[in-house]
Amino acid sequence: MVEGWAMEIVEHAVTAPWEGVLLEPAESPGAGVVVLSGSSGRVERQRARLFAEQGFLALAIRWFGGPGQPPGICEVPLETFVAAVDLLRAHGAARIGMLGVSKGAEAALLTAVHEPRVDLVAALSPTSRVWSNVGPGADGRDRPHRSSWTWRGRPLPFVPGDDTWQPAEQDGGPVAIRGWYERSERTFAARLDAAAIAVEKARADILLVAGAGADDAMWPSLRYARELAARRHAAGVPVEVVTREDAGHRPRFPGEGRAAPSAEFRYGGTADGDARLGRAAWDLLLDRLRPAAGVPLTPAR
């Protein structure tokens, strides 16, 4: 995008096969991006607009909790995201990127494993394995544990959560749940290998973005990013890991501002650290998308 010039963007409301918004630049794009939220389930309209302002077709969707969808992240069909690829291709995107944070990153990575038309995945605060459901399935039940995802009607192997875990915070304030994932890995160690996300099979380029060390209070995303990278390196396929000190679970791109505080969860990191990590990831992500889209390289705003 040329600095000081506002690109015209046409916004289309999407109602089927899911709720969402399609943001279409006036100039025909060569690349499109599917933008996925984490466990909030919201349509990431603002984040999608950042991509549209850079000249990319951008699609943000509600992938659970909407009409005809499970109310929680429970046995969500990966075909949900394949349909998003279909829509972007139908609107002229020759190159497809997927961006997701947390559970949305889990979805994006798994989609790329199964759908060869995905060219690039940017996984923010990723996991290296499939986890059990977060919330109820279509039957309204959240127990027994089930996979978060299905493919062609079959649940993917997953790691259950250890329901005996108790948070360190007992004062009713925001909770750090990283320990729940780490304990569940120890309890169900025999299931880790089967639940690994086989990123080495994905044709897509992979960009992994994670806060450093123990700063991510939701799950150990940097360790997971390094596990994913190791699988890619062993297979001789491209991968890049971006990390910054003081960043937590919610990297913020330029133009987004600080993430809203949560009364439920501790996400870790600092506002400055989250912004620095987001800036580093944003510049790299645009560089990966722009050559195919025919958009000149310009400084990020």
Side-chain angles (χ1 to χ4, degrees):
M1 182 176 70
V2 178
E3 190 170 354
W5 175 66
M7 178 175 291
E8 181 183 352
I9 298 169
V10 179
E11 184 172 313
H12 306 276
V14 180
T15 58
W18 13 244
E19 297 174 349
V21 59
L22 178 68
L23 300 169
E24 188 171 16
E27 298 179 7
S28 177
V33 184
V34 180
V35 181
L36 304 176
S37 69
S39 56
S40 71
R42 63 176 170 262
V43 176
E44 293 281 8
R45 182 186 303 267
Q46 180 188 8
R47 182 162 279 182
R49 179 164 285 274
L50 294 178
F51 286 98
E53 289 173 351
Q54 295 291 332
F56 304 115
L57 190 64
L59 173 65
I61 68 170
R62 183 179 303 282
W63 49 273
F64 73 95
Q69 296 175 326
I73 307 173
C74 182
E75 297 188 336
V76 175
L78 293 179
E79 288 84 354
T80 303
F81 312 105
V82 174
V85 174
D86 292 337
L87 190 149
L88 289 180
R89 292 294 292 267
H91 280 76
R95 179 170 169 82
I96 303 295
M98 296 190 72
L99 179 137
V101 59
S102 193
K103 290 297 286 188
E106 189 177 338
L109 290 166
L110 287 165
T111 302
V113 170
H114 294 281
E115 173 49 73
R117 293 177 299 165
V118 177
D119 299 289
L120 171 68
V121 172
L124 279 57
S125 304
T127 174
S128 59
R129 52 189 56 96
V130 175
W131 286 96
S132 60
N133 57 299
V134 180
D139 58 2
R141 300 169 57 195
D142 65 0
R143 294 295 185 276
H145 287 289
R146 286 167 284 178
S147 182
S148 290
W149 319 102
T150 68
W151 175 247
R152 295 179 177 172
R154 300 183 62 181
L156 300 188
F158 67 98
V159 181
D162 186 336
D163 287 335
T164 67
W165 176 81
Q166 293 292 322
E169 303 87 351
Q170 299 291 329
D171 58 0
V175 171
I177 62 171
R178 177 186 178 120
W180 181 73
Y181 287 99
E182 292 172 330
R183 178 170 180 146
S184 298
E185 288 174 319
R186 295 191 295 271
T187 302
F188 300 103
R191 300 182 66 161
L192 298 182
D193 287 347
I197 300 175
V199 289
E200 69 277 10
K201 297 181 180 178
R203 188 191 66 82
D205 291 332
I206 305 290
L207 176 64
L208 305 168
V209 183
D215 285 314
D216 188 334
M218 292 294 286
W219 60 24
S221 59
L222 181 57
R223 171 164 63 84
Y224 292 153
R226 287 172 172 163
E227 290 172 0
L228 292 165
R231 298 180 72 91
R232 296 280 289 182
H233 285 310
V237 288
V239 65
E240 188 159 9
V241 178
V242 182
T243 185
R244 290 290 186 275
E245 295 294 335
D246 299 328
H249 196 71
R250 298 187 292 179
R252 303 295 288 172
F253 292 140
E256 288 190 308
R258 297 187 177 193
S262 170
E264 187 175 3
F265 296 116
R266 288 177 53 204
Y267 292 99
T270 66
D272 288 344
D274 292 346
R276 286 194 298 268
L277 180 56
R279 160 66 69 147
W282 180 245
D283 292 343
L284 284 171
L285 180 53
L286 295 186
D287 285 347
R288 301 300 183 273
L289 288 169
R290 274 180 170 138
V295 179
L297 288 172
T298 57
R301 65 187 181 90

